[in-house]
């Protein structure tokens, strides 16, 4: 398994005239997608949480405005396939049903068949103000793995709303693979790397506490949603489509 990199490059250049986008930050999310303690520790990661099917690591990056925390989550599920796990997260209409934190989630602009601009508004607990995001989401599929990469952008068709705090620094990279070799068979592993700046100063201890509680809870919801999709057969075919599945 090779490393997958997600790079959010500072640029005022559009990614395409139809998209009207530019990237907001210059942080790089990269590293191993297979858990190797020696390598992770040598790269500045520290382990924060260990559960039966999930491990959370974190790494602090210095920035001009005080620093940013990266999180890397390694996990596995026996009950679902990589394709089901993928589908539960990119089926935006379905996610609006199973994820109670979603206020609004939809594709703003389709750039290519595996790249789109997404708007996402999410609820925050009182007294915090709700947040919203505009990000570019790209998909990739090989014989052995599926990946979803997201990074915050600005899009001319999605202005800032006064009812939300716009999150300008967000990036994630999710890599999924089958432990048996077939992306459609049950038993999968994943590595999720992400950063998320809420747009307000939050003590690092509180941020870690929230991450350690909310990340496992969210991933369990994804697993349940994926299992439901698999049982009902309501799956999108991942794109770009696996060559062996083309008819």
């Amino acid at each position: 398994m090779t490393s997958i990199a997600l790079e959010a490059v500072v640029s005022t250049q559009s990614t395409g005239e139809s998209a009207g986008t530019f990237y907001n930050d210059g942080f790089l999310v990269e590293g191993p997608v297979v858990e190797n303690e020696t390598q992770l520790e040598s790269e500045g990661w520290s382990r924060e949480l260990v559960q039966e099917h999930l491990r959370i690591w974190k790494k602090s990056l210095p920035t001009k405005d005080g620093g940013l925390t990266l999180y890397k989550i390694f996990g596995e599920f026996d009950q679902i396939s990589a394709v089901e796990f993928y589908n539960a997260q990119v089926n935006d209409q379905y996610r609006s049903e199973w994820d109670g934190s979603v206020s609004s989630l939809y594709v703003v602009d389709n750039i290519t068949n595996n790249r789109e601009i997404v708007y996402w508004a999410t609820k925050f607990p009182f007294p915090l103000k709700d947040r919203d995001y505009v990000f570019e989401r790209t998909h990739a599929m090989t014989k052995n793995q599926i990946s979803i990469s997201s990074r915050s952008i600005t899009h001319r068709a999605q202005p800032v709303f006064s009812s939300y705090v716009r999150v300008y620094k967000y990036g994630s990279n999710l890599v999924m693979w089958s432990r048996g070799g077939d992306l459609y068979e049950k038993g999968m592993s994943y590595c999720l790397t992400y950063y998320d700046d809420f747009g307000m100063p939050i003590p690092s201890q509180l941020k870690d506490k929230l991450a350690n509680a909310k990340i496992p809870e969210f991933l369990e919801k994804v697993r349940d949603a994926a299992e439901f999709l698999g049982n009902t057969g309501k799956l999108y075919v991942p794109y770009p489509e696996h060559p062996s599945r083309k008819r």
Side-chain angles (χ1 to χ4, degrees):
M1 190 72 62
T2 60
S3 296
I4 302 293
L6 167 63
E7 184 173 11
V9 181
V10 173
S11 175
T12 57
Q13 297 181 344
S14 168
T15 60
E17 193 61 32
S18 62
T21 65
F22 68 86
Y23 302 118
N24 293 321
D25 58 59
F27 301 107
L28 182 67
V29 179
E30 64 178 356
V33 298
V34 175
E35 191 171 22
N36 182 309
E37 293 185 21
T38 301
Q39 181 179 356
L40 288 164
E41 290 173 353
S42 70
E43 295 178 358
W45 294 90
S46 61
R47 190 159 52 191
E48 285 293 304
L49 180 72
V50 177
Q51 294 185 351
E52 184 178 1
H53 297 292
L54 176 147
R55 283 81 56 203
I56 298 177
W57 294 72
K58 81 167 187 176
K59 178 180 181 179
S60 296
L61 290 181
T63 66
K64 293 180 179 179
D65 52 1
L68 193 67
T69 302
L70 303 183
Y71 293 96
K72 188 179 285 288
I73 301 94
F74 297 94
E76 49 277 328
F77 290 120
D78 298 328
Q79 311 95 320
I80 59 173
S81 69
V83 167
E84 292 163 352
F85 192 64
Y86 164 86
N87 272 262
Q89 296 180 78
V90 298
N91 184 333
D92 296 327
Q93 182 177 358
Y94 178 49
R95 178 169 174 179
S96 297
E97 297 175 9
W98 65 258
D99 187 351
S101 69
V102 171
S103 295
S104 184
L105 180 62
Y106 56 87
V107 172
V108 175
D109 196 357
N110 284 296
I111 310 303
T112 66
N113 73 327
N114 68 334
R115 178 169 163 246
E116 64 260 355
I117 308 302
V118 180
Y119 175 75
W120 171 35
T122 182
K123 303 169 188 174
F124 267 57
F126 181 83
L128 298 177
K129 198 171 184 179
D130 292 347
R131 264 59 178 168
D132 68 352
Y133 304 71
V134 182
F135 59 92
E136 178 188 78
R137 182 173 65 193
T138 59
H139 315 245
M141 184 178 184
T142 67
K143 181 179 180 181
N144 300 315
Q145 70 180 32
I146 307 172
S147 65
I148 309 170
S149 298
S150 302
R151 56 183 178 181
S152 56
I153 63 163
T154 297
H155 192 283
R156 65 168 66 97
Q158 207 63 46
V160 175
F161 302 110
S162 60
S163 53
Y164 294 98
V165 173
R166 178 62 52 87
V167 176
Y168 290 102
K169 294 178 182 177
Y170 164 74
S172 71
N173 190 38
L174 174 62
V175 182
M176 302 149 274
W177 62 94
S178 168
R179 297 204 299 273
D182 185 341
L183 294 172
Y184 288 79
E185 72 179 29
K186 307 293 184 185
M188 53 83 61
S189 298
Y190 65 88
C191 174
L192 169 63
T193 308
Y194 84 96
Y195 61 86
D196 191 345
D197 185 345
F198 296 144
M200 63 177 293
I202 298 178
S204 58
Q205 288 183 337
L206 177 58
K207 186 179 293 186
D208 291 342
K209 184 176 180 179
L210 287 171
N212 291 343
K214 294 300 182 181
I215 291 173
E217 177 183 314
F218 171 74
L219 289 167
E220 289 296 318
K221 289 181 179 179
V222 178
R223 181 206 61 192
D224 292 344
E227 193 168 10
F228 174 81
L229 285 180
N231 291 337
T232 58
K234 296 180 179 180
L235 293 175
Y236 291 150
V237 175
Y239 50 93
E241 188 174 1
H242 192 301
S244 68
R245 299 283 172 172
K246 291 183 178 179
R247 299 179 183 275

